[in-house]
Amino acid sequence: MLDTLYKLAGETSAESRRRLLHVVTKLFFYDPDPTVTSKYHYGEIALSSLGHIDRRARQTYADEVAAEPNLPRSVANALAGDPDSEVARLVLRLSPALTDRDLAAIALNQSQEHLTAIAERARLSEKVTDILVERGDNGVLKTVGGNEGAQFSDNGFNHLLERGREEPEIHRTVAVRSDLTQERAERVMRILAELGGEDAGGANADDEAGAIAQQARQQRLEVTGLLTDLAAKTRLLDDVLFMLAEEDRAYHLAQVIARESEIAVEHALRTLLRRDANGIALACRALDVGYPAFAAILALRARRLMFANKRVEDDLRNYAQIDSAAAERGMRFTRMKAKLSGDAPGKAIELQADPRRRP
């Protein structure tokens, strides 16, 4: 293997660099806990190789490493800032290596396709959404407006509503968010009513938007009731999780998991929608969630992340191997770390040890 690496390192052709990057990547990600030095050297090789390979090879590599938490930040930034949005797309959407500062810088300088990919992330800070709302076209506004993991400052939310006057569909997308405060929901509906009166089809549009918003309000009230019932032990957690997953209500599902696990909602939502199922499996096993409910959660993830059935089956088999005691220890560690860090936004549940290891 080393002879192959040395030989490839001495060649400068695009194919040799592609092969070198492929081999080194396999070696690097084989180690679940690489050292700082290892990450630095891998990053140097990756950055050097990216400058010599074509767009198709860059996209293949980017798609392969997009969700890897150990991807060096320098490499994640190089891929996310690639002028070709197809290369950058999955990294912008999934990479945990990118910071808010990285995302803000890319959002300020890259194309609308780049902005759309950022708008699809499982969690977005107010700092980033402020820029998306300022620079994004109607497609970006609709995507970020409907993203329940996106947080909005008051100024950013106001600007989103004002810019959305050009395209009422943006307001309808915002109106069905399950995390809207009553005050924000009422503002959205007032604007929809105003826009509905400005055209011949306004009455129908207003009626439709009102029905959608009413449904969203009912769902918010329903979740509040479900949480109350769970606290009173008049409902089973598995039944609630199964129902919410079947109805594809990811944010409400995250709310329930967060409350039961004593973690932040955004942690639960990000963990639920990560490509790696280890985090959500750990949380569910610690809560003693049964197989039918967890299978429904995996099905929701498959719909949202476009997974194949084979992956869902593998994740369900792995779930059966997780030790409950190890999962509970992992969740206690997660809560303690979040408390010590001030419950910092955006941190997903991470496995602290192999949960399948029996004590």
Side-chain angles (χ1 to χ4, degrees), residues 133-134 138 238 273 322 344:
V133 170
E134 180 65 33
N138 286 343
D238 277 28
L273 296 179
I322 299 177

Side-chain angles (χ1 to χ4, degrees), residues 40-76:
Y40 171 78
H41 288 304
Y42 172 72
E44 290 294 295
I45 294 172
L47 290 174
S48 173
S49 299
L50 286 173
H52 291 84
I53 60 179
D54 61 21
R55 184 208 65 80
R56 185 172 182 179
R58 294 199 311 278
Q59 182 179 348
T60 299
Y61 171 68
D63 289 354
E64 179 184 354
V65 302
E68 291 288 350
N70 289 325
L71 184 69
R73 183 181 168 196
S74 58
V75 180

Side-chain angles (χ1 to χ4, degrees), residues 115-190:
L115 268 62
T116 297
I118 295 174
E120 293 172 339
R121 287 180 71 89
R123 191 200 71 84
L124 289 169
S125 70
E126 294 178 359
K127 177 181 180 180
V128 178
T129 57
D130 279 351
I131 299 171
L132 294 177
V133 170
E134 180 65 33
R135 288 201 64 229
D137 59 17
N138 286 343
V140 173
L141 297 181
K142 184 177 178 181
T143 300
V144 74
N147 181 351
E148 295 187 338
Q151 298 177 326
F152 291 93
S153 65
D154 286 339
N155 287 337
F157 191 76
N158 290 338
H159 197 32
L160 174 64
L161 296 188
E162 286 304 310
R163 291 205 57 202
R165 287 179 180 274
E166 305 167 7
E167 176 52 67
E169 186 60 32
I170 294 170
H171 291 94
R172 297 191 184 100
T173 300
V174 176
V176 300
R177 288 177 65 108
S178 58
D179 61 339
L180 287 183
T181 63
Q182 187 65 29
E183 190 269 339
R184 285 188 173 184
E186 289 174 355
R187 285 162 58 197
V188 175
M189 291 311 303
R190 282 198 299 271

Side-chain angles (χ1 to χ4, degrees), residues 21 25 29 50 55-68 71 75 79-80 84-95 275 307 311:
L21 182 59
T25 296
F29 287 113
L50 286 173
R55 184 208 65 80
R56 185 172 182 179
R58 294 199 311 278
Q59 182 179 348
T60 299
Y61 171 68
D63 289 354
E64 179 184 354
V65 302
E68 291 288 350
L71 184 69
V75 180
L79 295 170
D84 191 308
S85 61
E86 287 301 307
V87 174
R89 183 177 62 85
L90 272 188
V91 177
L92 286 172
R93 184 184 178 195
L94 300 173
S95 179
R275 295 186 73 78
F307 285 155
R311 179 156 186 172

